[in-house]
């Protein structure tokens, strides 16, 4: 079933064999969708969003325009970038935007690894059924999250299973042009681990890089995650925060906001931690201030900096007299080049 349809909304119902497949493979159940996410809940990615609308939504909604000017709409696109930068979020928002209006686009969402099965040939059959169902309910979008699990680079030492899945996917995507009205989107953290054959034009035509947000984007994401707070943090304060949070991804910013709220709670009601009973709280009296954000920032390490151990350490007592001056000069030069970095 597509994510944005209910069972009773399907006209013909689902064929029986598909129902049993869904029931027998517990993991086939698609990711739960959060229906509240819309494009306005995605910060700093407006270029990607308008490109997606142009490439994915318009050809499905207004095929006559593309027909008229003989434009070939893309068959697939690939989202890639570091974790927590909003790839899944954009796909969810796209699904919700597609559920509006008269002409609805069916949106199928699969985690790459969930399409795998222990039975030989079963994954390929699942894929074929998925594309078939998507075709029956066209126009539709198929979204594969973590596609590197499904279609890794085929190599000689690797087992046969993956290479057969990859070739099935290639064949299915090649078959799309005669069928039309289906767009495939893949998301991955590791672009280099996807089979190169999938990345040629005609399959995943366009690639969208979701990089770590810059200062403006960070400010927008802060705004989104604090928009329901009362009182809202001031614009100037958010600007200052965005300047400080270099290297934070969208998910880091979200968790920073949550942590700041917890800090404020801790400050206002320290007795919560001692009492074992539920206390009556005056929620309106919890005010989140700059102090809470400073505390929260001390506690969080951005995801991009967790993976690599920092190579920096203090000079040893032997090398200190030798290198001290040079180091100071280097730091000064760096400070001039990157004034925002600490
Ligand atoms: P992964 O590659 O690990 O799957 P991802 O890129 O798919 O990561 P998401 O699941 O989209 O990351 O993001 C995690 C959370 O971070 C989202 O639920 C959202 O709340 C927040 N987030 C990330 N980017 C943004 C953004 N640009 N605007 C608003 N919120 C964001």
């Amino acid at each position: 079933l597509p994510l944005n349809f209910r069972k009773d909304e399907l006209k013909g119902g689902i064929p029986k064999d598909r129902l049993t497949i869904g029931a027998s493979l517990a993991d086939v159940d698609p990711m739960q969708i959060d229906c509240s996410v819309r494009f306005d809940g995605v910060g700093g990615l407006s270029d990607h969003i308008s490109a997606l609308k142009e490439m994915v939504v318009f050809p499905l909604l207004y095929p006559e325009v593309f027909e008229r000017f003989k434009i070939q709409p893309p068959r697939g696109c690939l989202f890639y970038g570091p974790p927590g930068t909003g790839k899944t979020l954009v796909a969810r928002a796209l699904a919700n935007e597609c559920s509006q209006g008269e002409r609805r686009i069916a949106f199928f969402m699969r985690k790459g690894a969930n399409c795998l099965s222990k039975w030989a040939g079963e994954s390929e059959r699942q894929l074929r059924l998925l594309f078939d169902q998507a075709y029956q309910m066209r126009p539709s979008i198929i979204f594969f999250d973590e596609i590197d699990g499904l279609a890794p680079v085929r190599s000689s030492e690797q087992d046969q299973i993956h290479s057969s899945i990859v070739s099935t996917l290639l064949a299915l995507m090649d078959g799309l042009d005669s069928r039309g009205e289906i767009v495939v989107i893949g998301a991955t953290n590791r672009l280099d681990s996807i089979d190169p054959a999938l990345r040629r034009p005609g399959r995943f035509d366009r690639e969208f890089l979701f990089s770590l947000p810059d200062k403006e984007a960070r400010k927008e994401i802060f705004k989104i995650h604090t928009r329901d707070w009362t009182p809202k943090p001031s614009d100037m304060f958010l600007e200052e925060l965005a300047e400080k949070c270099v290297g934070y991804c969208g998910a880091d910013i979200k968790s920073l906001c949550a942590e700041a709220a917890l800090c404020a709670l801790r400050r206002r009601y320290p007795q919560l931690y001692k009492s074992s009973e539920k206390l009556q709280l005056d929620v309106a009296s919890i005010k989140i201030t700059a102090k809470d954000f400073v505390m929260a920032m001390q506690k969080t390490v951005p995801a991009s900096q967790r993976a690599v151990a920092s190579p920096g350490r203090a000079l040893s007592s032997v090398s200190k007299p030798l290198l001290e001056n040079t180091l100071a000069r280097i730091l000064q030069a760096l400070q001039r080049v990157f004034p925002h970095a600490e």
Side-chain angles (χ1 to χ4, degrees):
L1 264 184
L3 285 170
N4 48 356
F5 278 70
R6 287 200 312 275
K7 205 180 273 175
D8 47 322
E9 284 175 328
L10 285 185
K11 270 177 238 125
I14 314 169
K16 206 164 162 216
D17 60 334
R18 281 187 201 137
L19 263 183
T20 46
I21 292 160
S24 67
L25 275 178
D27 271 351
V28 165
D29 190 32
M31 290 181 282
Q32 276 303 307
I33 190 157
D34 179 0
C35 295
S36 60
V37 192
R38 305 293 296 275
F39 279 147
D40 60 3
V42 182
L45 294 170
S46 49
D47 288 351
H48 285 6
I49 289 173
S50 37
L52 266 181
K53 277 190 183 157
E54 216 168 78
M55 288 174 32
V56 179
V57 184
F58 293 171
L60 300 182
L61 287 183
Y62 312 106
E64 61 277 6
V65 178
F66 288 74
E67 186 75 14
R68 167 88 177 68
F69 296 107
K70 297 269 177 285
I71 312 172
Q72 180 116 49
R75 258 176 272 167
C77 52
L78 208 54
F79 295 173
Y80 69 101
T85 42
K87 296 180 288 296
T88 317
L89 186 75
V90 168
R92 290 212 170 115
L94 187 66
N96 288 332
E97 296 283 334
C98 296
S99 319
Q100 311 300 315
E102 282 165 24
R103 192 145 187 231
R104 286 170 71 180
I105 302 174
F107 195 95
F108 297 83
M109 202 170 200
R110 292 282 185 279
K111 283 259 182 201
N114 287 2
C115 299
L116 301 181
S117 156
K118 67 177 175 180
W119 306 109
E122 178 65 17
S123 318
E124 289 85 337
R125 199 167 79 95
Q126 287 281 334
L127 275 181
R128 253 179 254 119
L129 285 175
L130 174 65
F131 275 72
D132 199 39
Q133 178 78 28
Y135 176 67
Q136 304 247 322
M137 301 184 66
R138 68 192 179 273
S140 42
I141 298 175
I142 303 177
F143 177 68
F144 289 109
D145 208 356
E146 328 283 356
I147 196 173
D148 42 297
L150 183 70
V153 181
R154 289 169 292 181
S155 64
S156 54
E157 33 335 327
Q158 212 182 19
D159 53 358
Q160 201 56 43
I161 299 170
H162 268 129
S163 77
S164 125
I165 294 177
V166 175
S167 17
T168 309
L169 194 59
L170 292 179
L172 284 170
M173 288 195 73
D174 280 342
L176 284 184
D177 73 334
S178 51
R179 298 170 147 200
E181 298 191 82
I182 300 179
V183 178
V184 186
I185 304 178
T188 178
N189 295 137
R190 306 181 309 165
L191 195 58
D192 52 344
S193 61
I194 293 180
D195 196 88
L198 276 173
R199 292 177 55 192
R200 78 147 169 77
R203 287 168 189 153
F204 288 108
D205 294 83
R206 286 284 302 272
E207 297 181 349
F208 291 90
L209 168 63
F210 286 65
S211 53
L212 290 176
D214 61 1
K215 189 178 146 210
E216 278 308 307
R218 286 196 296 270
K219 186 176 165 197
E220 247 177 78
I221 300 174
F222 266 119
K223 244 188 215 157
I224 287 167
H225 288 294
T226 56
R227 64 182 164 190
D228 297 330
W229 291 7
T230 40
K232 274 196 196 109
S234 72
D235 215 45
M236 245 190 21
F237 177 59
L238 288 186
E239 177 117 16
E240 213 173 292
L241 262 183
E243 190 148 338
K244 285 208 180 106
C245 296
V246 181
Y248 280 55
C249 65
D252 288 325
I253 292 177
K254 184 182 178 184
S255 84
L256 186 70
C257 293
E259 185 61 42
L262 282 180
C263 285
L265 173 71
R266 217 169 289 149
R267 200 163 39 82
R268 175 70 184 82
Y269 290 113
Q271 60 269 45
L272 275 187
Y273 291 82
K274 302 210 178 75
S275 129
S276 55
E277 277 159 35
K278 182 177 170 6
L279 305 180
Q280 200 77 39
L281 302 185
D282 176 15
V283 181
S285 71
I286 304 174
K287 297 266 183 314
I288 304 170
T289 60
K291 206 168 21 175
D292 302 313
F293 273 101
V294 174
M295 290 270 282
M297 274 183 76
Q298 282 168 356
K299 283 188 184 168
T300 38
V301 182
S304 61
Q305 288 166 22
R306 279 181 206 169
V308 277
S310 168
R313 64 191 142 87
L315 288 176
S316 71
S317 54
V318 180
S319 53
K320 197 166 181 187
L322 286 172
L323 298 176
E324 210 170 24
N325 287 341
T326 319
L327 182 70
R329 251 182 289 138
I330 294 173
L331 284 179
Q332 264 174 12
L334 274 179
Q335 194 75 41
R336 242 179 296 130
V337 182
F338 303 109
H340 296 309
E342 283 177 18

